[in-house]
Amino acid sequence: MKKVFLVFLLSVLVLLLFSCSQLNLFEPRKSTVSIVLSSGVDGDGDTVKPQEYSSANLQGMYSREQAPWVKDIQHLYIKISKFSYKYSTGPGAGKWATPTAVDKEVDLVNLTDEATWLTFDIPNGAVIVALAFEVTQATVTINGSNYAVTISEKCRVISPNLNWQVKTDESQIVVAIDWTRSIIRTGQESYMLVPRVAYRWRGELKKLWAIYGDILINDATPTVPLLIGLFEGTDTTATPTVLKLRKPREDAYFWLGKHPAGTYTVVVWDNVTWYWDEDSYTISGDKATETTFEHGKTIPNTVLQLKIVKE
């Protein structure tokens, strides 16, 4: 009897442990993203890729090449605030998060190490698609004298189309500001700040929510036109979501765009012909291959390896 009771207790314990692990497995995970500030200097290779503002009126201002005073700058203090970001858990654009009012003052000239500005949590696997922040105050020190710096109307910096996926528990976004190109002299003792900013993601970039891959005919790159259709579900008699004519090319790559998670079928036709009936084009071909797959079920992109065998 004691043995039976012991086996029963062990069974209950294993069941509880399994249940807990299942619950933890399906709980939504959060990742922490840190925003760090870095000072980039023109000429540092790919450290800074300036973000130009075509609407900034620089007429009559001294250009950087004509301004030897830049080398005399000892300090350039800036205060940045009102950080916000846009993220998405699907192929849509998502929504802007509520701006975070966290002020940070840094001296860009003497910022030899990166300075952490703030951190925020985001669902693991989500995609950061845009960032925004404002520079609200700046002071420059030249040859021991301090000067107030006018803040350009372009000091609200927005960077769209980032497409960064949060895949780890901790990630970093480096905001690099090239101070040598951001400070402009507008008069004998007056200056303006127009930030030249670059962003760097410390993580893996993915073709998120995209369906793409390679297609081969007898293990070789196709040298004939192919028609590729993408259908939602398994009904290939319906109107395709995507229909592309793939021309002969040097590689086997094809791209069908970004789509929500779900079941899809891709069909490839060869022996493609098309003609004009004075009203519209009609395209026809022979079905060469058909593949049904689950998109976005385990990872947010699908890579297809399609093969056509011809005798």
Side-chain angles (χ1 to χ4, degrees):
M1 185 67 180
K2 291 183 178 179
K3 290 184 178 180
V4 173
F5 184 71
L6 180 60
V7 170
F8 174 77
L9 286 179
L10 289 175
S11 301
V12 171
L13 180 60
V14 170
L15 181 61
L16 287 174
L17 290 175
F18 179 76
S19 300
C20 291
S21 64
Q22 290 291 93
L23 289 173
N24 290 334
L25 178 64
F26 291 101
E27 285 179 355
R29 292 182 57 199
K30 294 286 186 178
S31 296
T32 299
V33 178
S34 300
I35 307 296
V36 298
L37 303 175
S38 175
S39 177
V41 177
D42 188 25
D44 283 355
D46 292 333
T47 300
V48 171
K49 297 178 181 178
Q51 178 178 337
E52 301 292 347
Y53 298 102
S54 58
S55 61
N57 183 12
L58 304 182
Q59 186 176 2
M61 299 180 184
Y62 296 100
S63 68
R64 184 173 174 273
E65 290 75 12
Q66 298 171 324
W69 50 268
V70 170
K71 70 179 187 325
D72 296 326
I73 295 179
Q74 298 165 303
H75 303 281
L76 178 57
Y77 289 97
I78 67 167
K79 180 183 288 187
I80 56 178
S81 62
K82 296 183 180 179
F83 173 81
S84 188
Y85 61 94
K86 182 190 288 187
Y87 77 94
S88 174
T89 55
K95 296 182 179 180
W96 282 99
T98 303
T100 302
V102 181
D103 291 332
K104 179 76 172 181
E105 186 178 63
V106 294
D107 179 5
L108 292 177
V109 177
N110 299 290
L111 185 59
T112 56
D113 297 321
E114 295 172 349
T116 300
W117 178 18
L118 54 85
T119 61
F120 60 91
D121 290 334
I122 196 170
N124 189 282
V127 183
I128 297 175
V129 296
L131 298 177
F133 65 89
E134 293 184 18
V135 178
T136 56
Q137 184 178 322
T139 302
V140 64
T141 302
I142 301 177
N143 294 327
S145 298
N146 297 327
Y147 302 94
V149 177
T150 301
I151 304 299
S152 165
E153 63 179 8
K154 294 297 180 180
C155 279
R156 186 171 189 268
V157 182
I158 301 176
S159 183
N161 305 319
L162 298 178
N163 207 34
W164 292 334
Q165 185 184 19
V166 181
K167 297 187 66 177
T168 58
D169 292 337
E170 295 184 359
S171 303
Q172 283 189 336
I173 299 172
V174 181
V175 177
I177 303 175
D178 183 358
W179 66 269
T180 66
R181 301 188 64 210
S182 297
I183 187 73
I184 299 171
R185 188 175 181 180
T186 58
Q188 190 62 34
E189 295 184 351
S190 57
Y191 303 89
M192 177 182 288
L193 188 74
V194 182
R196 298 296 189 256
V197 180
Y199 301 87
R200 194 163 63 249
W201 172 252
R202 287 181 176 158
E204 183 179 357
L205 300 181
K206 302 289 289 184
K207 296 176 180 177
L208 303 164
W209 308 109
I211 300 174
Y212 59 100
D214 292 328
I215 182 169
L216 299 173
I217 298 180
N218 292 340
D219 295 326
T221 299
T223 58
V224 296
L226 297 174
L227 189 63
I228 304 177
L230 180 70
F231 300 83
E232 292 186 12
T234 59
D235 183 7
T236 58
T237 64
T239 301
T241 302
V242 177
L243 188 63
K244 285 190 173 184
L245 181 63
R246 184 189 182 282
K247 299 178 181 179
R249 51 191 295 178
E250 296 179 354
D251 57 64
Y253 182 77
F254 68 90
W255 171 272
L256 296 178
K258 298 184 177 183
H259 302 276
T263 302
Y264 293 87
T265 301
V266 63
V267 178
V268 181
W269 295 269
D270 62 359
N271 298 323
V272 178
T273 60
W274 57 91
Y275 62 92
W276 171 254
D277 62 1
E278 297 184 357
D279 185 35
S280 61
Y281 279 105
T282 300
I283 302 177
S284 62
D286 299 327
K287 183 183 291 186
T289 184
E290 178 178 323
T291 302
T292 298
F293 57 94
E294 291 294 327
H295 172 59
K297 187 173 183 179
T298 56
I299 58 175
N301 61 301
T302 298
V303 184
L304 299 172
Q305 304 294 330
L306 305 179
K307 292 186 177 182
I308 299 174
V309 179
K310 307 286 287 187
E311 295 182 357

